[in-house]
Amino acid sequence: MSKFHVRRAAVLGAGVMGAQIAAHLANADIPVILFDLPAREGDKSGIVLRALEGLKKLEPAPLAANERLDRIEAANYDEHLARMGECDLVIEAIAERMDWKLDLFARVAPHLKPGAIFATNTSGLSIARLAEGLPQAQRDRFCGIHFFNPPRYMALVELIPTAATQPEMLDDLETFLTTALGKSVVRALDTPNFVANRIGVFSILAVMHHTARLGLAFDEADALTGPLIGRPRSATYRTADVVGLDTMAHVINTMRDALADDPWHAHFTVPAWLEALIARGALGQKTRAGIYRKDGKAIKVLSLETSDYIDSGREAAPEVLEILKLKNPAERFARLRASEHPHAQFLWSIFRDVFHYCAVHLGAVADNARDVDLAMRWGFGWQAGPFETWQAAGWQGIGAAIAEDIAAGRTMAAAPLPGWVGDGRSGVHGPQGSWSAREATDKPRSTLPCYRRQLFPDRVLGELEPASATLWENDGVRLWVAEGHGDVPVLSMKTRGVLTQDVVEGIIEAVARAERDHRGLVIWNPQPPFAYGADLKGVLKLIAAGDFAALERFVARFQHMTQTVKYAQVPVVVGLNGMALGGGCEITLHSARAVAALETYVGLVEAGVGLIPAGGGCKELALRAARLAPHSANNEVFPFLQNVFSTVAMASVGKSALHARELGLLRDSDVVVFHPGEVLHVALGQAGALAESGWRPRQAPRGIAVAGRAGIANCEMMLVNMREGGQISEHDHRVARAVATALCGGDIDAGSLVSEQWLLDVERALFVELLKQEKTQARIEHTMRTGKPLRN
Ligand code: NAD
């Protein structure tokens, strides 16, 4: 393990990036001192104090739990520079100006703690030039650390060393970023805009170029460059609006100024229409108008013909959609290229020019092709990077097509493809590594020890999947062991997070096998979600058939499954990532321990479809409250139920694993892991450690004290107010009363002692009763059809 510890960090600059980077350090429980210029009036740390207020309101939320704000102290360069000496890591994130950064470095350098790491978040300034702002002796602990916006959510961080940077310092920083902050690191070369922005912004320029050349509308180009080709919904122009059109222009100008020798240099210009938008203050989302503008409910888009906003919503042509549906990527690209439809021509052209650009520049901008592909996935949200897309479509064929288009003058620049493209290879990625044009060799993955914690890292095309052996499977699950982890098998679902009957039976079987042959069990899915909840489609079918007896049997079996998980003779650990909703949350509540990626959204959301948790969820929460009751003054259960009642009745979902803990849906003993790729490693370790410490399932008391009808009455008071205030409908009220009844153990005296089975029977009966209600049925049907909740 790394011996580098960040006891305290400083962030310089409380702007968009600085404040959010500080927030993410705080998420990781690292005390942070956040600096900015002294305010002219009032508190000298006023700029930072205002930035901290802003963090609470920003969407998507930079803080994973509001209480983490407390880890950030506000500071200014006039009063607090000496405190820099307390910090092991200092990240500079002030405005993108070389002279300002150099001035600040000179002021800060004398106060840095010996051995501290000092890093700059510049988007594209030369790191070597910036290093010159530091005394010689401090340059070996300096590098670039390029976060993407928003830093909590964007996986990518580029690390950029200079010739003077200590290699072991970079290793320490990469380890810290990966495990402590959950980021995915690419080491970049010190070239303008580094890797992801260099390629990503070129890709945007290529889209702009071909949009204009083919006379497409902006929304038409967005329809073609979003999910249809494996890119984010915001596609190209909407992304520009989100980033800010002024920022976009700034980045293009940086490319123009810094890349005079680039063969594509003629294209590094801000188009006249973009200049015009900026000149009239239409900067995108932050000014409510940019390339798009919201008019009431309608979204309008700028038309270049009329220079006004017109209705948006243009779609890809059906014949092009047909081509994109083709399974074989080689055929898909060949058909796009051959088609005369402007949409097809557009798509072929933007792919071709990006492939061309990446091939020509690979040697200059990145160590190897894997770094380019992963940077585009992690930094721009592309499903596949440019090189793997090219390779999947047939390396030689695409290479020949590009060469033909270059010769015919159809490409954006005339630069020839580098020789290695046509050296007979079938791609740039293979089991032996990924092509490095600068070293003319294939480079394997990093061997930094922190990557041993990622048993199944994000792979590029052509890389081998790590070995695993299947022990048993049915249609819903696979029980398997990872290489070197034979003592704790893993159960993974095949149902994309739907808890079908096969999944329920599969878990019961897996527990039996783990008890027989192993020392623990982990439930984990290679891809998020962990679970969306029970199989509502199956439920609807049974409702349509009027078979409520079968429905009750399914619920009873689900309860049996969660009890099996809870009382397993070996620890059952769940590894969570993405959604853990409904039944997925209930499995979690019954597990020996949960290991959750920070970005896990946990919730008992049954009320949203007019139901209540009945897989033991209400029972387990009632039981936990009963365990806490002896700690209250009057031995009362209800005070420990009040918060969970609102959480369940309102179907609230934790906005992070830390927030889920605040809601009482994860326990203090559950582990939060920042990198989603490390969840399985930690879960296997936790199962082993629990087994090693002599695991025994914790028995419920034979008599569980419940809040009873007094508790239900308390909940009812809250509900009546909400009903009268128009916040909830009559059916919401009915569902919430059922939640209250299940959590309070039914309509019996407060303080009555009941068994676990009693609680299970109460929640199951209420569940089946609700299923018979038309409004609940309408909610389920609506949610299945639209993916959205119905308020009725
Ligand atoms: P910003 O304008 O939101 O914040 C800049 C901060 O710098 C402000 O708080 C300001 O008070 C402070 N500042 C201005 N002049 C200063 C000076 N002379 N000395 C000290 N502090 C000064 O900018 P931002 O978007 O947060 O960008 C900060 C850095 O991060 C830049 O280097 C930028 O290129 C980089 N970056 C930005 C993004 C992004 O999407 N915004 C993404 C990655 C990296």
Side-chain angles (χ1 to χ4, degrees):
M1 281 308 270
S2 165
K3 300 274 190 306
F4 172 68
H5 302 293
V6 182
R7 290 177 178 82
R8 190 181 300 281
V11 177
L12 314 181
V16 174
M17 290 302 284
Q20 293 193 83
I21 293 169
H24 196 57
L25 288 161
N27 287 338
D29 234 334
I30 294 165
V32 192
I33 310 178
L34 179 56
F35 283 87
D36 211 312
L37 296 168
R40 292 212 182 88
E41 285 166 18
D43 191 323
K44 277 201 161 184
S45 302
I47 295 182
V48 180
L49 291 170
R50 276 193 297 280
L52 295 181
E53 275 308 303
L55 282 179
K56 289 191 234 165
K57 295 180 210 124
L58 207 59
E59 283 293 330
L63 291 161
N66 278 338
E67 53 97 20
R68 295 283 154 131
L69 193 62
D70 162 75
R71 312 293 191 274
I72 311 177
E73 285 179 81
N76 64 78
Y77 305 117
D78 272 6
E79 296 175 305
H80 305 113
L81 269 185
R83 293 208 56 201
M84 206 76 74
E86 298 168 32
C87 302
D88 300 298
L89 172 65
V90 178
I91 299 175
E92 173 273 311
I94 70 160
E96 187 79 336
R97 280 268 301 260
M98 180 65 79
D99 51 342
W100 294 354
K101 291 196 195 260
L102 292 176
D103 282 350
L104 184 66
F105 287 16
R107 271 186 92 182
V108 166
H111 301 280
L112 290 175
K113 179 176 174 177
I117 294 179
F118 183 53
T120 172
N121 183 50
T122 176
S123 311
L125 297 176
S126 156
I127 306 296
R129 279 271 293 115
L130 286 167
E132 289 166 13
L134 291 170
Q136 195 83 38
Q138 286 172 325
R139 293 184 194 168
D140 61 344
R141 305 287 290 167
F142 176 74
C143 68
I145 187 170
H146 186 214
F147 285 88
F148 282 68
N149 188 15
R152 170 182 161 193
Y153 300 92
M154 295 307 291
L156 182 63
V157 173
E158 292 173 321
L159 275 189
I160 311 104
T162 69
T165 309
Q166 287 171 357
E168 55 276 27
M169 174 218 120
L170 271 187
D171 287 352
D172 285 341
L173 191 54
E174 182 162 346
T175 302
F176 169 78
L177 284 167
T178 306
T179 297
L181 297 190
K183 299 291 109 189
S184 295
V185 173
V186 164
R187 292 208 185 178
L189 306 179
D190 191 8
T191 49
N193 290 351
F194 314 126
V195 181
N197 279 343
R198 177 77 175 269
I199 307 300
V201 175
F202 176 79
S203 166
I204 293 171
L205 287 168
V207 168
M208 287 182 178
H209 174 76
H210 293 294
T211 308
R213 181 177 69 83
L214 293 159
L216 304 188
F218 294 127
D219 57 332
E220 208 173 358
D222 271 356
L224 291 160
T225 56
L228 273 184
I229 57 167
R231 296 188 192 167
R233 204 169 289 283
S234 53
T236 308
Y237 294 102
R238 203 180 297 276
T239 300
D241 269 351
V242 173
V243 169
L245 299 183
D246 49 342
T247 307
M248 189 59 78
H250 182 74
V251 177
I252 298 171
N253 288 334
T254 306
M255 287 181 76
R256 182 196 60 208
D257 298 343
L259 295 167
D261 296 334
D262 192 309
W264 280 263
H265 187 258
H267 296 284
F268 301 164
T269 54
V270 179
W273 59 263
L274 185 52
E275 296 262 25
L277 280 179
I278 296 169
R280 67 180 207 233
L283 305 181
Q285 204 175 52
K286 59 187 166 190
T287 59
R288 298 215 164 75
I291 299 167
Y292 290 89
R293 191 178 74 191
K294 237 180 151 179
D295 268 359
K297 281 203 166 165
I299 295 173
K300 305 263 184 179
V301 65
L302 180 74
S303 154
L304 288 185
E305 278 160 29
T306 62
S307 296
D308 202 357
Y309 290 92
I310 55 171
D311 288 338
S312 69
R314 268 157 280 270
E315 290 176 358
E319 62 183 278
V320 175
L321 280 178
E322 284 307 311
I323 299 178
L324 292 176
K325 276 189 206 142
L326 293 169
K327 285 265 169 343
N328 178 347
E331 199 186 340
R332 208 158 55 221
F333 275 104
R335 292 273 302 277
L336 285 176
R337 185 162 181 250
S339 163
E340 292 195 346
H341 195 286
H343 288 183
Q345 277 306 305
F346 170 79
L347 285 175
W348 161 248
S349 305
I350 61 164
F351 275 107
R352 174 202 62 209
D353 286 320
V354 169
F355 293 163
H356 185 193
Y357 192 78
C358 288
V360 169
H361 287 300
L362 174 60
V365 308
D367 178 63
N368 63 69
R370 181 180 48 245
D371 287 352
V372 172
D373 280 348
L374 291 178
M376 292 314 294
R377 286 206 224 159
W378 295 335
F380 276 75
W382 291 11
Q383 259 166 33
F387 284 114
E388 47 189 348
T389 306
W390 176 351
Q391 179 167 336
W395 186 266
Q396 289 302 334
I398 295 286
I402 299 172
E404 222 179 277
D405 282 7
I406 297 172
R410 287 192 281 263
T411 49
M412 286 168 70
L417 286 170
W420 56 262
V421 170
D423 65 3
R425 65 180 56 244
S426 58
V428 288
H429 304 301
Q432 71 293 345
S434 293
W435 177 248
S436 169
R438 48 201 289 262
E439 294 179 33
T441 182
D442 289 319
K443 297 283 280 279
R445 275 178 175 270
S446 163
T447 53
L448 205 60
C450 70
Y451 294 115
R452 281 186 228 137
R453 302 165 58 83
Q454 299 185 16
L455 302 184
F456 295 87
D458 285 347
R459 273 173 300 125
V460 286
L461 182 81
E463 270 189 284
L464 294 180
E465 184 171 348
S468 71
T470 302
L471 300 178
W472 175 83
E473 61 190 319
N474 68 9
D475 286 346
V477 303
R478 179 167 91 100
L479 185 69
W480 55 280
V481 283
E483 206 173 355
H485 295 277
D487 51 350
V488 179
V490 183
L491 176 127
S492 298
M493 300 166 199
K494 302 177 182 175
T495 53
R496 294 181 191 210
V498 181
L499 302 170
T500 60
Q501 216 147 355
D502 283 325
V503 172
V504 171
E505 297 306 326
I507 294 175
I508 296 169
E509 173 70 21
V511 170
R513 285 171 180 263
E515 284 176 339
R516 196 183 68 202
D517 303 329
H518 307 278
R519 55 196 314 238
L521 173 69
V522 165
I523 307 180
W524 171 85
N525 292 335
Q527 296 299 329
F530 176 74
Y532 289 125
D535 175 16
L536 290 179
K537 225 170 161 182
V539 167
L540 277 183
K541 264 194 210 145
L542 291 175
I543 291 176
D547 195 349
F548 289 94
L551 280 165
E552 169 139 24
R553 278 199 303 279
F554 177 63
V555 184
R557 203 60 191 155
F558 206 106
Q559 292 183 337
H560 174 65
M561 178 269 287
T562 49
Q563 290 296 87
T564 304
V565 165
K566 178 172 176 177
Y567 289 107
Q569 296 301 300
V570 292
V572 179
V573 173
V574 293
L576 310 179
N577 183 18
M579 307 286 175
L581 302 179
C585 177
E586 294 181 299
I587 297 173
T588 302
L589 291 169
H590 288 81
S591 66
R593 184 155 295 169
V595 173
L598 178 69
E599 301 307 334
T600 302
Y601 308 97
V602 187
L604 290 168
V605 294
E606 287 82 350
V609 286
L611 291 170
I612 66 165
C618 291
K619 177 269 298 180
E620 204 53 27
L621 294 173
L623 173 57
R624 287 181 189 179
R627 283 203 172 112
L628 290 167
H631 301 296
S632 76
N634 312 321
N635 251 346
E636 273 183 87
V637 181
F638 187 73
F640 300 99
L641 276 179
Q642 199 158 356
N643 285 342
V644 283
F645 166 66
S646 344
T647 301
V648 180
M650 301 304 139
S652 305
V653 175
K655 295 190 177 81
S656 71
L658 296 176
H659 185 217
R661 206 183 250 162
E662 285 180 357
L663 291 178
L665 298 173
L666 288 179
R667 298 154 288 193
D668 280 347
S669 56
D670 292 330
V671 181
V672 178
V673 169
F674 271 55
H675 200 296
E678 295 187 359
V679 168
L680 179 59
H681 167 83
V682 177
L684 288 166
Q686 289 289 324
L690 288 172
E692 201 56 30
S693 43
W695 162 259
R696 292 290 312 140
R698 184 176 183 188
Q699 301 297 319
R702 263 179 291 151
I704 302 165
V706 295
R709 72 173 63 92
I712 301 172
N714 275 329
C715 297
E716 185 70 36
M717 268 181 334
M718 288 193 242
L719 293 174
V720 168
N721 286 334
M722 291 172 82
R723 175 95 182 86
E724 277 170 9
Q727 288 155 276
I728 57 172
S729 69
E730 193 185 323
H731 195 57
D732 288 331
H733 188 169
R734 177 178 194 146
V735 175
R737 201 167 47 221
V739 170
T741 309
L743 287 174
C744 296
D747 190 5
I748 56 178
D749 287 341
S752 301
L753 297 180
V754 303
S755 67
E756 258 191 307
Q757 192 55 50
W758 168 276
L759 292 169
L760 288 171
D761 292 344
V762 170
E763 67 178 39
R764 196 175 64 251
L766 289 162
F767 181 93
V768 175
E769 197 43 45
L770 284 170
L771 264 185
K772 291 180 180 159
Q773 306 305 315
E774 259 173 40
K775 288 202 161 147
T776 287
Q777 295 173 5
R779 283 188 185 189
I780 299 176
E781 191 274 328
H782 181 88
T783 300
M784 286 309 294
R785 196 160 36 80
T786 66
K788 297 197 176 107
L790 172 72
R791 297 295 307 275
N792 59 3

